[in-house]
Amino acid sequence: SLFFPRYHPDGTLREIVPLRDGYEKVIRRYVRDINSVPYPTRPIVPFMRVVHDRLSVEIARGCGWGCRFCQVGFIYRPLRERGGKEILEIVREALGSTGYDEVSLLALSAGDHRCLFPLVRHLMEELEEERIALSLPSLRVGTFPEGLLEEIKRVRKTGFTLAPEAATERLQRVINKVIPRDELLEAASRLYRAGWRVMKLYFMIGLPTEREEDIREIARLAREVRARGGQVNVSVSTFVPKSHTPFQWEKMLSLEEIEEKQSLLKGVLRGRGIRLKWHDPKMSFLEGVFARGDRRLGRVLLEAHRRGCRFDGWSEHLKWDSWQEAFDRAGVDPSFYISRERSLEEVLPWAHLDPGVKVEYLREERERAYRGLPTPPCREGCERCGMCGERGGLVLADPSDIPPPARRVGVREVVLRKPWVRKIRSRFLKLGEARLLGHLEMIDVFLRAARRASIPMRFSEGFHPLPRITFSNPLPVGVESLAEFVDLELRRYIKASEFVERMNRELPDGLRILSSAEMAFKGRALPNLFTADLFLISFEHLSSPPPLEEVRGALKDFSRRDRFPVKVEKKKGIREVDLVPFVEGLRALPLEEFEPPVPLPAGVPSPSDILETEWVVELKLKKAAGVKPQRFISALLGLSSDEERLLRVLKVESLPPPL
Ligand code: SF4
């Protein structure tokens, strides 16, 4: 360590002693102009569905409002906006490399960005045709201009959140976030009039100087918003005082106080169309301890980890008893960190960390909070908090930077009426690690590849436009296939051969289009075309595979049976299925003797190139069986569930083959 803490007998810090000359403080380094550093436009795109499954582009860093509870608002000062032209370029490039269907413009207060409206208008003009939606994080009331909602909803009404944090003007002045009530209600009216059905409101309980009426007012305000026409989702979290803010000296609510205030709120915030969500008090308590902790908490962390605490941020994983044991074992009283107002002279554990804002300024702001005095936002030429001046200053974007959008009048309508609109039917393979993609994940992977490949997909109409795409029946996870099919409707003609080439450039390893054909809209939906699947099952991954003769014996035994009930796990529980009527063919044979029922199309690898085994079980299973092939084989041979998982299954053909 570069520092050593000395404590008073009462546990408070006496001093933080630097251990090396010239290293008295840790001074924050920061980028003065975020336009001057490259922005990552090729982020990792997970195959699985994740939270925030969209392209996020940071349009500004820092915030100029100075809300007194907000740590990032102080430690990311000064406000630095990204230029409008730069944002446009980043969005274009990153969408091209990721294939996302939603872009989120991120900032601590996105509504303040000088270019927001022209930027959104320009982006929507570009994104509408591809049905790429735009979303904004929670906005400050009064910062979103007229017309913004109309632009955003051109594709999809993405979630809309306003964060007043406190419901009474008195408390809003304390926290320096004054949101006039009539402006909030007007914003709600505009939102509902524009067609949004739900509005989210964020509040905090436990803010300094809070009174009972402040909590009751949350309910009253929510009801007034509700009266403007739509549903209101109210999220209430507990105020956690943070370092480097004017409230860093405050006492936090105890666990009992949090529960008491939450139950008051639950009692008064009721009614149709109003939903209340609150933060788990125990989680807030732990956050409160660690938010202003010191190195003595390291022992608590270690003890908690030893007791199996992992992922405690997910309430279902929070092991509260283990945390309490950990505090006891480490000899640390958590209330020391939570329920104690610090004196303004106390040496705080982060005193040697200097993000740039002067401590005197934080003290002044605290003083103003208690006097209910708001502080005006950042402005050019200001040097009051110590952040601007020699160390840098505000960087504000220029709205005239953004060229007016070139309108494509009526393009969409004309294209939809053209007679050549077709769909493309493709056969593709799914091999290797791609077998682990679930059906929904595979759809996402496929659609993102199609967007990256600039395939002119056709979209459904309505509230949430989606590409018109149909896959053959879902393949069980873990099964590889040489015969998957997909229909993709087009809004503009593209040659099938070009489709194959472009898609294969973008699909990840293990997914490859084998052939495509242009199709008319006529005909049955893809999933209804097939009656059966042909699988090859290999035992190559089992540590002791069953001998061929034993397998043949089991298959022979099956052929003599009238019934073969297999237990299958379904969403609604375990179900028993008799498989005899569904098995159309079953035999064990040397792999080299396997002949596909119809010749495999050109470019399809032979099963003997994929499977590393000498013999396989060939299974022709009717579609309607609804049973995984490995489940059937496992039941037939009496394999354990581990062995069942290790069976290698390759679907060779969907019957009858449509291409
Ligand atoms: S010096 Fe003034 S403008 Fe700069 S960050 Fe501080 S308050 Fe804002």
PDB file of all heavy atoms in Angstrom, residues 301-328:
ATOM      1  N   LEU A 301     -15.298  -8.796   4.066  1.00  0.00           N
ATOM      2  CA  LEU A 301     -15.469  -9.368   2.723  1.00  0.00           C
ATOM      3  C   LEU A 301     -14.918 -10.788   2.662  1.00  0.00           C
ATOM      4  O   LEU A 301     -15.548 -11.699   2.127  1.00  0.00           O
ATOM      5  CB  LEU A 301     -14.724  -8.517   1.689  1.00  0.00           C
ATOM      6  CG  LEU A 301     -15.438  -7.288   1.152  1.00  0.00           C
ATOM      7  CD1 LEU A 301     -14.547  -6.570   0.154  1.00  0.00           C
ATOM      8  CD2 LEU A 301     -16.746  -7.679   0.476  1.00  0.00           C
ATOM      9  N   LEU A 302     -13.745 -10.956   3.257  1.00  0.00           N
ATOM     10  CA  LEU A 302     -13.109 -12.268   3.228  1.00  0.00           C
ATOM     11  C   LEU A 302     -13.964 -13.293   3.982  1.00  0.00           C
ATOM     12  O   LEU A 302     -14.210 -14.403   3.494  1.00  0.00           O
ATOM     13  CB  LEU A 302     -11.712 -12.159   3.857  1.00  0.00           C
ATOM     14  CG  LEU A 302     -10.854 -13.404   3.793  1.00  0.00           C
ATOM     15  CD1 LEU A 302     -10.568 -13.782   2.349  1.00  0.00           C
ATOM     16  CD2 LEU A 302      -9.535 -13.175   4.535  1.00  0.00           C
ATOM     17  N   GLU A 303     -14.449 -12.890   5.154  1.00  0.00           N
ATOM     18  CA  GLU A 303     -15.272 -13.807   5.948  1.00  0.00           C
ATOM     19  C   GLU A 303     -16.564 -14.151   5.207  1.00  0.00           C
ATOM     20  O   GLU A 303     -17.020 -15.289   5.224  1.00  0.00           O
ATOM     21  CB  GLU A 303     -15.607 -13.179   7.315  1.00  0.00           C
ATOM     22  CG  GLU A 303     -14.422 -13.049   8.255  1.00  0.00           C
ATOM     23  CD  GLU A 303     -13.830 -14.401   8.643  1.00  0.00           C
ATOM     24  OE1 GLU A 303     -14.544 -15.408   8.546  1.00  0.00           O
ATOM     25  OE2 GLU A 303     -12.639 -14.439   9.006  1.00  0.00           O
ATOM     26  N   ALA A 304     -17.158 -13.140   4.562  1.00  0.00           N
ATOM     27  CA  ALA A 304     -18.413 -13.383   3.829  1.00  0.00           C
ATOM     28  C   ALA A 304     -18.152 -14.334   2.665  1.00  0.00           C
ATOM     29  O   ALA A 304     -18.927 -15.257   2.409  1.00  0.00           O
ATOM     30  CB  ALA A 304     -18.985 -12.060   3.322  1.00  0.00           C
ATOM     31  N   HIS A 305     -17.030 -14.124   2.006  1.00  0.00           N
ATOM     32  CA  HIS A 305     -16.686 -14.988   0.872  1.00  0.00           C
ATOM     33  C   HIS A 305     -16.488 -16.421   1.358  1.00  0.00           C
ATOM     34  O   HIS A 305     -16.960 -17.374   0.744  1.00  0.00           O
ATOM     35  CB  HIS A 305     -15.421 -14.455   0.198  1.00  0.00           C
ATOM     36  CG  HIS A 305     -15.077 -15.176  -1.062  1.00  0.00           C
ATOM     37  ND1 HIS A 305     -14.221 -16.248  -1.087  1.00  0.00           N
ATOM     38  CD2 HIS A 305     -15.503 -14.999  -2.340  1.00  0.00           C
ATOM     39  CE1 HIS A 305     -14.116 -16.690  -2.325  1.00  0.00           C
ATOM     40  NE2 HIS A 305     -14.888 -15.949  -3.107  1.00  0.00           N
ATOM     41  N   ARG A 306     -15.825 -16.555   2.504  1.00  0.00           N
ATOM     42  CA  ARG A 306     -15.607 -17.902   3.063  1.00  0.00           C
ATOM     43  C   ARG A 306     -16.924 -18.578   3.394  1.00  0.00           C
ATOM     44  O   ARG A 306     -17.025 -19.792   3.413  1.00  0.00           O
ATOM     45  CB  ARG A 306     -14.775 -17.807   4.347  1.00  0.00           C
ATOM     46  CG  ARG A 306     -13.316 -17.588   4.053  1.00  0.00           C
ATOM     47  CD  ARG A 306     -12.502 -17.679   5.325  1.00  0.00           C
ATOM     48  NE  ARG A 306     -11.100 -17.464   5.022  1.00  0.00           N
ATOM     49  CZ  ARG A 306     -10.270 -16.775   5.791  1.00  0.00           C
ATOM     50  NH1 ARG A 306     -10.701 -16.242   6.922  1.00  0.00           N
ATOM     51  NH2 ARG A 306      -9.019 -16.630   5.439  1.00  0.00           N
ATOM     52  N   ARG A 307     -17.937 -17.767   3.698  1.00  0.00           N
ATOM     53  CA  ARG A 307     -19.247 -18.337   4.039  1.00  0.00           C
ATOM     54  C   ARG A 307     -20.119 -18.519   2.798  1.00  0.00           C
ATOM     55  O   ARG A 307     -21.320 -18.724   2.897  1.00  0.00           O
ATOM     56  CB  ARG A 307     -19.952 -17.442   5.055  1.00  0.00           C
ATOM     57  CG  ARG A 307     -19.381 -17.610   6.429  1.00  0.00           C
ATOM     58  CD  ARG A 307     -19.762 -16.505   7.381  1.00  0.00           C
ATOM     59  NE  ARG A 307     -19.267 -16.829   8.710  1.00  0.00           N
ATOM     60  CZ  ARG A 307     -17.991 -16.774   9.069  1.00  0.00           C
ATOM     61  NH1 ARG A 307     -17.092 -16.370   8.207  1.00  0.00           N
ATOM     62  NH2 ARG A 307     -17.608 -17.122  10.280  1.00  0.00           N
ATOM     63  N   GLY A 308     -19.518 -18.366   1.648  1.00  0.00           N
ATOM     64  CA  GLY A 308     -20.248 -18.675   0.405  1.00  0.00           C
ATOM     65  C   GLY A 308     -21.005 -17.506  -0.195  1.00  0.00           C
ATOM     66  O   GLY A 308     -21.835 -17.701  -1.083  1.00  0.00           O
ATOM     67  N   CYS A 309     -20.771 -16.286   0.286  1.00  0.00           N
ATOM     68  CA  CYS A 309     -21.496 -15.151  -0.301  1.00  0.00           C
ATOM     69  C   CYS A 309     -20.955 -14.858  -1.702  1.00  0.00           C
ATOM     70  O   CYS A 309     -19.762 -14.623  -1.873  1.00  0.00           O
ATOM     71  CB  CYS A 309     -21.345 -13.908   0.572  1.00  0.00           C
ATOM     72  SG  CYS A 309     -22.155 -14.092   2.153  1.00  0.00           S
ATOM     73  N   ARG A 310     -21.826 -14.919  -2.668  1.00  0.00           N
ATOM     74  CA  ARG A 310     -21.476 -14.617  -4.064  1.00  0.00           C
ATOM     75  C   ARG A 310     -22.690 -13.942  -4.695  1.00  0.00           C
ATOM     76  O   ARG A 310     -23.812 -14.289  -4.387  1.00  0.00           O
ATOM     77  CB  ARG A 310     -21.204 -15.886  -4.884  1.00  0.00           C
ATOM     78  CG  ARG A 310     -20.200 -16.845  -4.308  1.00  0.00           C
ATOM     79  CD  ARG A 310     -18.764 -16.389  -4.560  1.00  0.00           C
ATOM     80  NE  ARG A 310     -17.830 -17.438  -4.217  1.00  0.00           N
ATOM     81  CZ  ARG A 310     -17.455 -17.743  -2.974  1.00  0.00           C
ATOM     82  NH1 ARG A 310     -17.955 -17.060  -1.966  1.00  0.00           N
ATOM     83  NH2 ARG A 310     -16.599 -18.723  -2.747  1.00  0.00           N
ATOM     84  N   PHE A 311     -22.475 -13.061  -5.611  1.00  0.00           N
ATOM     85  CA  PHE A 311     -23.570 -12.427  -6.358  1.00  0.00           C
ATOM     86  C   PHE A 311     -24.657 -11.881  -5.433  1.00  0.00           C
ATOM     87  O   PHE A 311     -25.841 -12.020  -5.702  1.00  0.00           O
ATOM     88  CB  PHE A 311     -24.203 -13.417  -7.347  1.00  0.00           C
ATOM     89  CG  PHE A 311     -23.244 -13.925  -8.376  1.00  0.00           C
ATOM     90  CD1 PHE A 311     -22.869 -15.258  -8.405  1.00  0.00           C
ATOM     91  CD2 PHE A 311     -22.710 -13.062  -9.319  1.00  0.00           C
ATOM     92  CE1 PHE A 311     -21.968 -15.719  -9.344  1.00  0.00           C
ATOM     93  CE2 PHE A 311     -21.812 -13.516 -10.268  1.00  0.00           C
ATOM     94  CZ  PHE A 311     -21.436 -14.852 -10.278  1.00  0.00           C
ATOM     95  N   ASP A 312     -24.244 -11.288  -4.326  1.00  0.00           N
ATOM     96  CA  ASP A 312     -25.250 -10.826  -3.367  1.00  0.00           C
ATOM     97  C   ASP A 312     -26.083  -9.665  -3.894  1.00  0.00           C
ATOM     98  O   ASP A 312     -27.135  -9.351  -3.338  1.00  0.00           O
ATOM     99  CB  ASP A 312     -24.577 -10.424  -2.052  1.00  0.00           C
ATOM    100  CG  ASP A 312     -24.038 -11.644  -1.346  1.00  0.00           C
ATOM    101  OD1 ASP A 312     -22.938 -12.089  -1.708  1.00  0.00           O
ATOM    102  OD2 ASP A 312     -24.739 -12.171  -0.472  1.00  0.00           O
ATOM    103  N   GLY A 313     -25.621  -9.043  -4.958  1.00  0.00           N
ATOM    104  CA  GLY A 313     -26.397  -7.961  -5.568  1.00  0.00           C
ATOM    105  C   GLY A 313     -27.704  -8.475  -6.154  1.00  0.00           C
ATOM    106  O   GLY A 313     -28.616  -7.698  -6.423  1.00  0.00           O
ATOM    107  N   TRP A 314     -27.801  -9.779  -6.388  1.00  0.00           N
ATOM    108  CA  TRP A 314     -29.081 -10.362  -6.822  1.00  0.00           C
ATOM    109  C   TRP A 314     -29.800 -10.807  -5.560  1.00  0.00           C
ATOM    110  O   TRP A 314     -29.305 -11.677  -4.838  1.00  0.00           O
ATOM    111  CB  TRP A 314     -28.853 -11.578  -7.730  1.00  0.00           C
ATOM    112  CG  TRP A 314     -28.232 -11.233  -9.030  1.00  0.00           C
ATOM    113  CD1 TRP A 314     -28.204 -10.011  -9.610  1.00  0.00           C
ATOM    114  CD2 TRP A 314     -27.546 -12.122  -9.924  1.00  0.00           C
ATOM    115  NE1 TRP A 314     -27.546 -10.073 -10.810  1.00  0.00           N
ATOM    116  CE2 TRP A 314     -27.135 -11.353 -11.028  1.00  0.00           C
ATOM    117  CE3 TRP A 314     -27.254 -13.482  -9.907  1.00  0.00           C
ATOM    118  CZ2 TRP A 314     -26.445 -11.891 -12.099  1.00  0.00           C
ATOM    119  CZ3 TRP A 314     -26.565 -14.021 -10.968  1.00  0.00           C
ATOM    120  CH2 TRP A 314     -26.168 -13.241 -12.053  1.00  0.00           C
ATOM    121  N   SER A 315     -30.964 -10.242  -5.306  1.00  0.00           N
ATOM    122  CA  SER A 315     -31.597 -10.473  -4.004  1.00  0.00           C
ATOM    123  C   SER A 315     -31.763 -11.961  -3.699  1.00  0.00           C
ATOM    124  O   SER A 315     -31.673 -12.373  -2.550  1.00  0.00           O
ATOM    125  CB  SER A 315     -32.923  -9.730  -3.918  1.00  0.00           C
ATOM    126  OG  SER A 315     -33.658  -9.929  -5.081  1.00  0.00           O
ATOM    127  N   GLU A 316     -31.970 -12.792  -4.741  1.00  0.00           N
ATOM    128  CA  GLU A 316     -32.167 -14.220  -4.444  1.00  0.00           C
ATOM    129  C   GLU A 316     -30.873 -14.884  -3.955  1.00  0.00           C
ATOM    130  O   GLU A 316     -30.895 -15.980  -3.413  1.00  0.00           O
ATOM    131  CB  GLU A 316     -32.762 -14.969  -5.647  1.00  0.00           C
ATOM    132  CG  GLU A 316     -31.873 -15.111  -6.870  1.00  0.00           C
ATOM    133  CD  GLU A 316     -32.005 -13.933  -7.832  1.00  0.00           C
ATOM    134  OE1 GLU A 316     -32.266 -12.801  -7.372  1.00  0.00           O
ATOM    135  OE2 GLU A 316     -31.818 -14.137  -9.044  1.00  0.00           O
ATOM    136  N   HIS A 317     -29.738 -14.216  -4.141  1.00  0.00           N
ATOM    137  CA  HIS A 317     -28.468 -14.787  -3.677  1.00  0.00           C
ATOM    138  C   HIS A 317     -27.966 -14.127  -2.393  1.00  0.00           C
ATOM    139  O   HIS A 317     -26.889 -14.461  -1.912  1.00  0.00           O
ATOM    140  CB  HIS A 317     -27.386 -14.618  -4.756  1.00  0.00           C
ATOM    141  CG  HIS A 317     -27.614 -15.471  -5.959  1.00  0.00           C
ATOM    142  ND1 HIS A 317     -27.462 -16.832  -5.938  1.00  0.00           N
ATOM    143  CD2 HIS A 317     -28.008 -15.160  -7.208  1.00  0.00           C
ATOM    144  CE1 HIS A 317     -27.739 -17.321  -7.129  1.00  0.00           C
ATOM    145  NE2 HIS A 317     -28.079 -16.327  -7.921  1.00  0.00           N
ATOM    146  N   LEU A 318     -28.714 -13.165  -1.890  1.00  0.00           N
ATOM    147  CA  LEU A 318     -28.237 -12.440  -0.708  1.00  0.00           C
ATOM    148  C   LEU A 318     -28.302 -13.351   0.518  1.00  0.00           C
ATOM    149  O   LEU A 318     -29.372 -13.791   0.923  1.00  0.00           O
ATOM    150  CB  LEU A 318     -29.094 -11.182  -0.501  1.00  0.00           C
ATOM    151  CG  LEU A 318     -28.775 -10.363   0.744  1.00  0.00           C
ATOM    152  CD1 LEU A 318     -27.350  -9.840   0.704  1.00  0.00           C
ATOM    153  CD2 LEU A 318     -29.744  -9.195   0.883  1.00  0.00           C
ATOM    154  N   LYS A 319     -27.128 -13.609   1.099  1.00  0.00           N
ATOM    155  CA  LYS A 319     -27.088 -14.478   2.289  1.00  0.00           C
ATOM    156  C   LYS A 319     -26.916 -13.579   3.508  1.00  0.00           C
ATOM    157  O   LYS A 319     -25.801 -13.366   3.990  1.00  0.00           O
ATOM    158  CB  LYS A 319     -25.917 -15.456   2.177  1.00  0.00           C
ATOM    159  CG  LYS A 319     -26.055 -16.453   1.038  1.00  0.00           C
ATOM    160  CD  LYS A 319     -25.069 -17.598   1.251  1.00  0.00           C
ATOM    161  CE  LYS A 319     -25.197 -18.648   0.188  1.00  0.00           C
ATOM    162  NZ  LYS A 319     -24.630 -18.235  -1.100  1.00  0.00           N
ATOM    163  N   TRP A 320     -28.009 -13.077   3.982  1.00  0.00           N
ATOM    164  CA  TRP A 320     -27.984 -12.070   5.031  1.00  0.00           C
ATOM    165  C   TRP A 320     -27.340 -12.606   6.311  1.00  0.00           C
ATOM    166  O   TRP A 320     -26.507 -11.940   6.924  1.00  0.00           O
ATOM    167  CB  TRP A 320     -29.419 -11.590   5.266  1.00  0.00           C
ATOM    168  CG  TRP A 320     -29.559 -10.556   6.324  1.00  0.00           C
ATOM    169  CD1 TRP A 320     -30.272 -10.658   7.475  1.00  0.00           C
ATOM    170  CD2 TRP A 320     -28.969  -9.245   6.338  1.00  0.00           C
ATOM    171  NE1 TRP A 320     -30.171  -9.502   8.202  1.00  0.00           N
ATOM    172  CE2 TRP A 320     -29.378  -8.615   7.527  1.00  0.00           C
ATOM    173  CE3 TRP A 320     -28.133  -8.549   5.472  1.00  0.00           C
ATOM    174  CZ2 TRP A 320     -28.983  -7.334   7.868  1.00  0.00           C
ATOM    175  CZ3 TRP A 320     -27.735  -7.267   5.815  1.00  0.00           C
ATOM    176  CH2 TRP A 320     -28.155  -6.672   6.996  1.00  0.00           C
ATOM    177  N   ASP A 321     -27.709 -13.844   6.699  1.00  0.00           N
ATOM    178  CA  ASP A 321     -27.154 -14.402   7.942  1.00  0.00           C
ATOM    179  C   ASP A 321     -25.639 -14.530   7.844  1.00  0.00           C
ATOM    180  O   ASP A 321     -24.912 -14.263   8.802  1.00  0.00           O
ATOM    181  CB  ASP A 321     -27.761 -15.783   8.239  1.00  0.00           C
ATOM    182  CG  ASP A 321     -29.233 -15.648   8.581  1.00  0.00           C
ATOM    183  OD1 ASP A 321     -29.654 -14.516   8.890  1.00  0.00           O
ATOM    184  OD2 ASP A 321     -29.954 -16.657   8.505  1.00  0.00           O
ATOM    185  N   SER A 322     -25.167 -14.929   6.659  1.00  0.00           N
ATOM    186  CA  SER A 322     -23.721 -15.089   6.492  1.00  0.00           C
ATOM    187  C   SER A 322     -23.017 -13.740   6.615  1.00  0.00           C
ATOM    188  O   SER A 322     -21.915 -13.646   7.157  1.00  0.00           O
ATOM    189  CB  SER A 322     -23.402 -15.692   5.124  1.00  0.00           C
ATOM    190  OG  SER A 322     -24.082 -16.900   4.984  1.00  0.00           O
ATOM    191  N   TRP A 323     -23.652 -12.699   6.107  1.00  0.00           N
ATOM    192  CA  TRP A 323     -23.048 -11.372   6.233  1.00  0.00           C
ATOM    193  C   TRP A 323     -22.960 -10.955   7.695  1.00  0.00           C
ATOM    194  O   TRP A 323     -21.949 -10.411   8.143  1.00  0.00           O
ATOM    195  CB  TRP A 323     -23.854 -10.334   5.437  1.00  0.00           C
ATOM    196  CG  TRP A 323     -23.468 -10.337   3.990  1.00  0.00           C
ATOM    197  CD1 TRP A 323     -24.153 -10.894   2.958  1.00  0.00           C
ATOM    198  CD2 TRP A 323     -22.266  -9.782   3.428  1.00  0.00           C
ATOM    199  NE1 TRP A 323     -23.468 -10.726   1.784  1.00  0.00           N
ATOM    200  CE2 TRP A 323     -22.311 -10.038   2.032  1.00  0.00           C
ATOM    201  CE3 TRP A 323     -21.173  -9.101   3.941  1.00  0.00           C
ATOM    202  CZ2 TRP A 323     -21.299  -9.633   1.170  1.00  0.00           C
ATOM    203  CZ3 TRP A 323     -20.166  -8.693   3.076  1.00  0.00           C
ATOM    204  CH2 TRP A 323     -20.233  -8.964   1.714  1.00  0.00           C
ATOM    205  N   GLN A 324     -24.026 -11.248   8.432  1.00  0.00           N
ATOM    206  CA  GLN A 324     -23.989 -10.863   9.852  1.00  0.00           C
ATOM    207  C   GLN A 324     -22.895 -11.628  10.590  1.00  0.00           C
ATOM    208  O   GLN A 324     -22.153 -11.063  11.391  1.00  0.00           O
ATOM    209  CB  GLN A 324     -25.359 -11.107  10.474  1.00  0.00           C
ATOM    210  CG  GLN A 324     -26.323 -10.006  10.053  1.00  0.00           C
ATOM    211  CD  GLN A 324     -27.703 -10.227  10.583  1.00  0.00           C
ATOM    212  OE1 GLN A 324     -28.267 -11.302  10.407  1.00  0.00           O
ATOM    213  NE2 GLN A 324     -28.244  -9.234  11.242  1.00  0.00           N
ATOM    214  N   GLU A 325     -22.782 -12.909  10.279  1.00  0.00           N
ATOM    215  CA  GLU A 325     -21.700 -13.713  10.881  1.00  0.00           C
ATOM    216  C   GLU A 325     -20.341 -13.129  10.501  1.00  0.00           C
ATOM    217  O   GLU A 325     -19.426 -13.057  11.316  1.00  0.00           O
ATOM    218  CB  GLU A 325     -21.755 -15.147  10.341  1.00  0.00           C
ATOM    219  CG  GLU A 325     -22.788 -16.034  11.004  1.00  0.00           C
ATOM    220  CD  GLU A 325     -22.912 -17.343  10.232  1.00  0.00           C
ATOM    221  OE1 GLU A 325     -21.885 -17.838   9.702  1.00  0.00           O
ATOM    222  OE2 GLU A 325     -24.042 -17.820  10.132  1.00  0.00           O
ATOM    223  N   ALA A 326     -20.244 -12.710   9.233  1.00  0.00           N
ATOM    224  CA  ALA A 326     -18.960 -12.177   8.756  1.00  0.00           C
ATOM    225  C   ALA A 326     -18.583 -10.908   9.526  1.00  0.00           C
ATOM    226  O   ALA A 326     -17.421 -10.722   9.908  1.00  0.00           O
ATOM    227  CB  ALA A 326     -19.041 -11.894   7.258  1.00  0.00           C
ATOM    228  N   PHE A 327     -19.564 -10.027   9.763  1.00  0.00           N
ATOM    229  CA  PHE A 327     -19.275  -8.812  10.542  1.00  0.00           C
ATOM    230  C   PHE A 327     -18.811  -9.195  11.951  1.00  0.00           C
ATOM    231  O   PHE A 327     -17.835  -8.662  12.468  1.00  0.00           O
ATOM    232  CB  PHE A 327     -20.522  -7.911  10.622  1.00  0.00           C
ATOM    233  CG  PHE A 327     -20.747  -7.084   9.379  1.00  0.00           C
ATOM    234  CD1 PHE A 327     -21.840  -7.312   8.552  1.00  0.00           C
ATOM    235  CD2 PHE A 327     -19.866  -6.065   9.035  1.00  0.00           C
ATOM    236  CE1 PHE A 327     -22.045  -6.550   7.409  1.00  0.00           C
ATOM    237  CE2 PHE A 327     -20.068  -5.290   7.887  1.00  0.00           C
ATOM    238  CZ  PHE A 327     -21.159  -5.544   7.072  1.00  0.00           C
ATOM    239  N   ASP A 328     -19.546 -10.158  12.573  1.00  0.00           N
ATOM    240  CA  ASP A 328     -19.192 -10.592  13.936  1.00  0.00           C
ATOM    241  C   ASP A 328     -17.777 -11.138  13.976  1.00  0.00           C
ATOM    242  O   ASP A 328     -16.962 -10.773  14.808  1.00  0.00           O
ATOM    243  CB  ASP A 328     -20.145 -11.710  14.394  1.00  0.00           C
ATOM    244  CG  ASP A 328     -21.474 -11.123  14.829  1.00  0.00           C
ATOM    245  OD1 ASP A 328     -21.545  -9.888  14.930  1.00  0.00           O
ATOM    246  OD2 ASP A 328     -22.425 -11.907  15.030  1.00  0.00           O
TER     247      ASP A 328
END
